[in-house]
Amino acid sequence: RFMSSFSNPQLGNIADRLKDGSLLKTQAHFNGKWIESVSSNDTFDVVDPATGLNIAILPSCGINETNQAIESAYNAQNEWSKRTGKERSIIIRKWYDLMVENKDDLATLLTIEAGKPLAEALGEIAYA
């Protein structure tokens, strides 16, 4: 769930600060799917450490979701291990290319969430 479409009067609409607003997610991710809510309906605030302002509300995953994530990761690893090294390298390269293509947006999100200076966030994205 977004705080008013991921906006805060003091911060503005964060998605508007991105070239690709679809990179901004406030759902849990399980088994290749973005999940809008979790079984407990509990949430937690994401706070901009530089300003102390809430920037998003995210689902708070509990033991059921943790077990689901572990099982999903186990199954994904089994499927991944069946791929050849070449197939895996193609997927990893595509992921890298997408990170480089979206480095400015990813760095902006990292800066807002973690309070890192933008130059440091860009370096972290490039190093990943």
Side-chain angles (χ1 to χ4, degrees):
R1 247 179 358 201
F2 289 134
M3 253 184 110
S4 307
S5 297
F6 209 68
S7 68
N8 182 305
Q10 288 102 347
L11 293 174
N13 190 333
I14 294 168
D16 288 344
R17 294 163 63 180
L18 306 175
K19 294 175 193 163
D20 181 356
S22 73
L23 294 173
L24 187 62
K25 300 290 186 192
T26 58
Q27 302 92 359
H29 190 266
F30 296 104
N31 200 25
K33 297 178 184 107
W34 292 101
I35 308 299
E36 199 60 45
S37 63
V38 294
S39 60
S40 68
N41 290 323
D42 289 339
T43 60
F44 67 95
D45 295 333
V46 177
V47 177
D48 178 346
T51 64
L53 297 172
N54 289 348
I55 57 174
I57 301 170
L58 301 179
S60 182
C61 299
I63 195 162
N64 292 335
E65 292 81 21
T66 301
N67 288 332
Q68 183 182 355
I70 291 169
E71 182 179 346
S72 178
Y74 178 81
N75 292 335
Q77 193 282 326
N78 283 335
E79 290 301 313
W80 182 254
S81 69
K82 294 175 186 174
R83 295 178 180 267
T84 66
K86 182 174 176 108
E87 289 172 317
R88 291 191 299 255
S89 73
I90 291 167
I91 292 167
I92 292 170
R93 179 59 195 218
K94 181 172 180 163
W95 186 7
Y96 169 79
D97 290 342
L98 287 168
M99 287 179 62
V100 170
E101 179 183 327
N102 293 286
K103 69 180 187 255
D104 294 332
D105 283 350
L106 295 172
T108 297
L109 291 170
L110 188 55
T111 296
I112 293 168
E113 178 190 2
K116 289 180 181 275
L118 185 58
E120 184 179 334
L122 281 165
E124 190 169 323
I125 300 299
Y127 185 72

